Amino acid sequence: MAVLAEVMAANAKYVAGFGDKGQLAMPPARRFAILTCMDARLDPAKYAGLAEGDAHVVRNAGGRATDDAIRSLVISHKLLGTVEWFVVHHTDCGMELFSDDVMGSLLEGNRATASFDGKTWSNPQHGGGHAADHFIKWQTIRSQEESVIQDVRCIREHPLVPRGIPIHGYVYDVKTGRLDEVKQATEAGRAA
Ligand SMILES: [Zn+2]
């Protein structure tokens, strides 16, 4: 229960200093959105300078342009007025460390956390898995640049995404905190 107590203590402090943030409007004040990875080392509020109320941040494993990520971005623009989007993947992403086949086999064997020796994944226990996992597309990544280009293109070409929204493609460097532009992605995401 240590984590629960820590989170509640942190929240009490946050509430004490909440100030006038209760007055914030729902639409993002700075009118942009970021699609990025859930990796614990990335904090979009810090790497992109966001305060509460500033921007939308959509996160999933890899920062991939899945149907659900696109659903959020379309709502972000259509109902909440964002007019500029970023796709930010990052170096050393966990999504580069497995394939659909590997994940399917691991989950078919057992559902407990697997271990990784730097090359291969293995199950700590056996039994209790399910073959249903073979039917999920896990959106793994082979090269960060490639995946950013792919995802910017995928969003750009979606019929519900207006041509006028620029979509910028970046890779965040976990060693330095720097956002490096993927020029080919930004090119593909240019507003028409
Ligand atoms: Zn990642």
Side-chain angles (χ1 to χ4, degrees), residues 84-133:
E84 191 163 0
W85 296 345
F86 293 76
V87 173
V88 180
H89 294 178
H90 65 98
T91 60
D92 195 36
C93 185
M95 299 297 282
E96 294 166 280
L97 303 181
F98 66 99
S99 63
D100 281 8
D101 277 353
V102 166
M103 186 62 155
S105 303
L106 284 169
L107 283 162
E108 190 173 353
N110 179 264
R111 280 174 285 188
T113 300
S115 55
F116 187 62
D117 66 4
K119 267 191 176 159
T120 34
W121 290 94
S122 53
N123 275 327
Q125 304 154 34
H126 297 283
H130 201 292
D133 308 297

Side-chain angles (χ1 to χ4, degrees), residues 24-169:
L24 287 169
M26 186 193 295
R30 294 171 59 197
R31 306 184 74 197
F32 72 96
I34 299 174
L35 169 61
T36 197
C37 184
M38 68 182 190
D39 192 292
R41 295 166 293 181
L42 275 61
D43 185 346
K46 289 178 183 156
Y47 75 58
L50 308 178
E52 290 90 337
D54 273 356
H56 282 146
V57 178
V58 179
R59 300 186 76 163
N60 62 32
R64 303 308 314 262
T66 58
D67 287 350
D68 196 64
I70 292 174
R71 176 186 71 89
S72 296
L73 289 171
V74 169
I75 290 170
S76 174
H77 167 74
K78 182 66 184 171
L79 302 181
L80 293 162
T82 63
V83 291
E84 191 163 0
W85 296 345
F86 293 76
V87 173
V88 180
H89 294 178
H90 65 98
T91 60
D92 195 36
C93 185
M95 299 297 282
E96 294 166 280
L97 303 181
F98 66 99
S99 63
D100 281 8
D101 277 353
V102 166
M103 186 62 155
S105 303
L106 284 169
L107 283 162
E108 190 173 353
N110 179 264
R111 280 174 285 188
T113 300
S115 55
F116 187 62
D117 66 4
K119 267 191 176 159
T120 34
W121 290 94
S122 53
N123 275 327
Q125 304 154 34
H126 297 283
H130 201 292
D133 308 297
H134 280 291
F135 302 102
I136 294 178
K137 191 162 169 23
W138 296 98
Q139 309 279 357
T140 58
I141 290 174
R142 255 180 316 173
S143 127
Q144 292 301 331
E145 292 223 342
E146 210 177 272
S147 63
V148 171
I149 295 165
Q150 240 176 37
D151 286 4
V152 167
R153 277 210 185 114
C154 175
I155 298 166
R156 173 83 294 151
E157 286 160 17
H158 195 280
L160 298 179
V161 170
R163 304 290 304 164
I165 295 179
I167 309 164
H168 313 293

Side-chain angles (χ1 to χ4, degrees), residues 169-186:
Y170 281 83
V171 172
Y172 172 94
D173 185 339
V174 295
K175 296 278 184 230
T176 62
R178 194 181 56 230
L179 290 172
D180 290 316
E181 188 181 24
V182 180
K183 290 218 162 61
Q184 224 183 312
T186 296

